Amino acid sequence: MADVHSPSGIPVAPVYGSADVPTDLEAALGAPGQFPFTRGVQSTMYRGRLWTMRQYAGFGTAAETNHRFKLLLEAGQTGLSVAFDLPTQMGIDSDSPRALGEVGRVGVAIDTVEDMHLLLADLPLDQVSTSMTINATASTLLAMYIVVAEERGIARDRLSGTIQNDILKEYVARGTYVYPPTPSLALIAETFRFCAAEVPQWNPISISGYHMREAGATAVQEVAFTFANALAYVQAAVDAGLDVDAFAPRLSFFFACHNDLFEEVAKFRAARRLWAHLMRDRYAASDASCRMRFHTQTGGVTLTAQQPLNNVVRVAVQTLAATLGGTQSLHTNGYDEALALPTAAAATLALRTQQIVAHESGVTQTVDPLAGSYYVESLTTAIESRALELLGKVEALGGAARAIEAGFLQDEIGQSAYAHQMGVESGQVVVVGVNRFADGAEPPVIPTPDFTQLAADQRARLAAVRAARDGAAVASHLAALEAAVRAGERKLMPLIIASVRARASVGEISDALERVWGRYR
């Protein structure tokens, strides 16, 4: 019989028994809601409260995205999730020559707080949580969210949500960075401070393994490299004078979920246990700070343009894995996302997938239903030990930032991506409808918006805001922000909020910071 391995290269035996699980299994598991949280972060898990069903949406214009949000809320979605276009992510205004051809293409274009008002129009911001996938410009977009709420009479301490704000993985896997690592980490620490003091229900960071997984990382690498980055953020905040238990309970994580059901379940369980021990052993953190809460998105790279309806099944399997693994929040991809932004019908079906698993599958009736499975417990232990070993290699290089500068994370992920692609091309890794059971049919064509007109309309809106605002006030606020950065002032969020309230744009605020910190290349 040929050797069998999980996608992370962990050997898989034909059968498992009691000898394959830790002898101190009860201690390794603990009780649900108790350290080390292997079995979940709440004692009752989904019997007490279902995960947040949070569909990711961003469609060119703020008004169109707002319309999609309302449709999803009416369909039963319980949290909002915003995708921004590349110029917004990189601190570039829609009227910049550098934004040409990219305005509104992979998400919503937000230039000023007036766009944010349109995006959030008529949405109950004090009743629904909002996740924003934004990193380099996260502080500015959070400031815009706060200003919109306050201009609508909603106090900032009533807001709940998450900004991704995870810059280190941008240097590894995505590339939407603006500033160099050192000032970027300082700005993240400032966001931690500000949220702990003034927006206590907000998660100031979502430390993302998802994008590294999309770039080709294995499940083991996803856990190890996510935690390497997370420890860098914790240390930066501690070095800035913050008490770990003042901010760590609001840290959140973001993982992918791929097709190998059992490895993915084991990954989530191993990650909870490993994070709990890292925080307890290194920072003497409280239970609340050791509790790893996470959002999951089904695997974008697992979707195929060929036979796209097959993706419905893939997403269902991944949804099952995420919920069996104890996620707190979930986005399910539309089956047509390998072709274009998801259609309304595909997004609704993706949401219905979550609802069927929640209400018809039985997954929610008991906590951690796969606990004690010889195979799952063996995989959980293997992923934890292998991730800890890989984390040790990162730390031997001086931690995440230095390992990234040395190219270690990128090289490791690149090798895994190459090995996977070779497996697909050789047929060892089966992708149904692509390298086996293919029918030769051309993928369907999904209509796309007129992005040229969309960009022109967005530039016109930005010009109107600039014409109507008090230009001298904007210049004064931006000058104060730049001066504070030059002086090494740490408490920048109030100055960013003041600039946003005066109708300064994302690009203008980014430029003020860049003039001092420079742009990472």
Side-chain angles (χ1 to χ4, degrees):
M1 182 181 293
D3 290 340
V4 175
H5 295 81
S6 79
S8 288
I10 298 169
V12 178
V15 66
Y16 285 80
S18 58
D20 298 300
V21 302
T23 54
D24 57 346
L25 182 60
E26 290 302 316
L29 290 178
Q34 295 181 20
F35 187 92
F37 307 105
T38 312
R39 302 199 64 190
V41 294
Q42 289 110 13
S43 60
T44 57
M45 285 303 289
Y46 304 138
R47 285 189 69 146
R49 176 186 173 186
L50 290 177
W51 62 90
T52 301
M53 299 181 190
R54 189 188 301 281
Q55 292 302 107
Y56 193 43
F59 298 90
T61 67
E64 186 179 358
T65 305
N66 175 264
H67 177 67
R68 176 64 64 87
F69 282 155
K70 290 174 180 175
L71 290 176
L72 287 167
L73 288 172
E74 289 171 5
Q77 177 174 298
T78 54
L80 304 177
S81 186
V82 188
F84 297 95
D85 72 354
L86 287 176
T88 304
Q89 293 181 51
M90 300 187 73
I92 300 168
D93 286 334
S94 295
D95 60 356
S96 168
R98 295 165 60 209
L100 188 64
E102 291 293 347
V103 175
R105 282 192 176 265
V106 299
V108 61
I110 300 291
D111 290 307
T112 71
V113 72
E114 295 298 342
D115 290 325
M116 189 68 85
H117 268 293
L118 286 172
L119 178 71
L120 303 172
D122 304 317
L123 299 176
L125 302 185
D126 54 347
Q127 299 172 36
V128 65
S129 69
T130 303
S131 173
M132 296 192 286
T133 303
I134 195 74
N135 296 287
T137 54
S139 56
T140 301
L141 273 295
L142 173 60
M144 288 184 173
Y145 196 93
I146 290 169
V147 170
V148 165
E150 292 182 342
E151 290 182 349
R152 287 170 48 183
I154 301 170
R156 59 184 65 171
D157 62 3
R158 292 168 61 192
L159 301 176
S160 63
T162 305
I163 43 174
Q164 193 162 98
N165 204 24
D166 174 7
I167 201 63
L168 289 175
K169 65 94 174 53
E170 295 296 324
Y171 304 119
V172 177
R174 287 190 74 240
T176 63
Y177 44 74
V178 178
Y179 323 111
T182 298
S184 294
L185 286 171
L187 185 57
I188 289 168
E190 154 62 359
T191 312
F192 286 5
R193 179 206 65 78
F194 173 79
C195 288
E198 301 197 34
V199 202
Q201 298 183 73
W202 198 272
N203 300 320
I205 195 167
S206 175
I207 305 148
S208 175
Y210 180 87
H211 300 97
M212 292 186 280
R213 192 70 184 277
E214 289 287 283
T218 65
V220 168
Q221 290 170 335
E222 182 184 10
V223 172
F225 296 158
T226 300
F227 287 172
N229 290 346
L231 291 170
Y233 298 131
V234 171
Q235 191 60 50
V238 169
D239 290 345
L242 300 182
D243 179 78
V244 71
D245 290 326
F247 66 87
R250 297 307 304 182
L251 300 180
S252 67
F253 291 81
F254 175 25
F255 291 111
C257 195
H258 282 203
N259 290 330
D260 190 297
L261 178 73
F262 296 107
E263 182 171 79
E264 294 301 306
V265 172
K267 177 188 74 179
F268 296 131
R269 299 172 82 252
R272 269 195 302 272
R273 188 161 71 207
L274 178 55
W275 182 249
H277 283 295
L278 288 170
M279 291 297 284
R280 177 65 52 83
D281 295 347
R282 299 185 182 201
Y283 294 98
S286 67
D287 278 3
S289 296
C290 294
R291 185 181 288 114
M292 191 199 81
R293 300 170 302 115
F294 66 98
H295 170 72
T296 306
Q297 181 171 341
T298 56
V301 295
T302 69
L303 303 178
T304 63
Q306 301 92 328
Q307 301 180 17
L309 286 174
N310 294 347
N311 296 326
V312 176
V313 183
R314 294 184 178 104
V315 169
V317 170
Q318 293 164 12
T319 300
L320 193 60
T323 51
L324 286 168
T327 191
Q328 278 62 70
S329 172
L330 179 61
H331 163 87
T332 34
N333 292 327
Y335 66 82
D336 54 5
E337 287 192 51
L339 302 164
L341 291 171
T343 58
T348 301
L349 179 58
L351 176 60
R352 294 285 181 258
T353 303
Q354 295 198 50
Q355 292 165 336
I356 289 168
V357 169
H359 298 290
E360 298 184 24
S361 73
V363 163
T364 63
Q365 293 175 1
T366 189
V367 179
D368 192 22
L370 291 183
S373 156
Y374 298 136
Y375 180 37
V376 170
E377 296 299 354
S378 176
L379 268 179
T380 300
T381 300
I383 290 172
E384 181 184 18
S385 63
R386 288 182 178 221
L388 185 59
E389 180 183 357
L390 188 53
L391 176 61
K393 293 180 180 180
V394 174
E395 296 188 319
L397 292 169
R402 290 187 178 177
I404 290 166
E405 289 174 358
F408 176 74
L409 276 68
Q410 300 92 311
D411 289 346
E412 290 285 305
I413 293 171
Q415 289 172 25
S416 295
Y418 179 79
H420 174 78
Q421 185 59 33
M422 291 300 99
V424 172
E425 293 185 13
S426 69
Q428 283 187 299
V429 176
V430 176
V431 183
V432 173
V434 175
N435 66 358
R436 196 179 296 184
F437 315 113
D439 57 16
E442 288 295 318
V445 176
I446 305 294
T448 58
D450 181 351
F451 287 109
T452 301
Q453 185 60 50
L454 186 154
D457 293 345
Q458 183 65 24
R459 289 193 295 269
R461 275 190 292 275
L462 176 56
V465 172
R466 286 196 170 124
R469 69 189 186 181
D470 183 339
V474 172
S476 175
H477 285 296
L478 291 172
L481 174 61
E482 184 175 340
V485 176
R486 289 192 186 280
E489 171 62 50
R490 287 179 173 174
K491 295 183 177 180
L492 299 179
M493 278 301 295
L495 297 170
I496 294 172
I497 290 172
S499 299
V500 163
R501 189 174 284 115
R503 272 45 187 177
S505 69
V506 170
E508 290 165 339
I509 293 169
S510 182
D511 288 348
L513 301 176
E514 186 182 333
R515 282 193 289 272
V516 184
W517 291 338
R519 177 171 285 269
Y520 181 78
R521 300 186 188 282

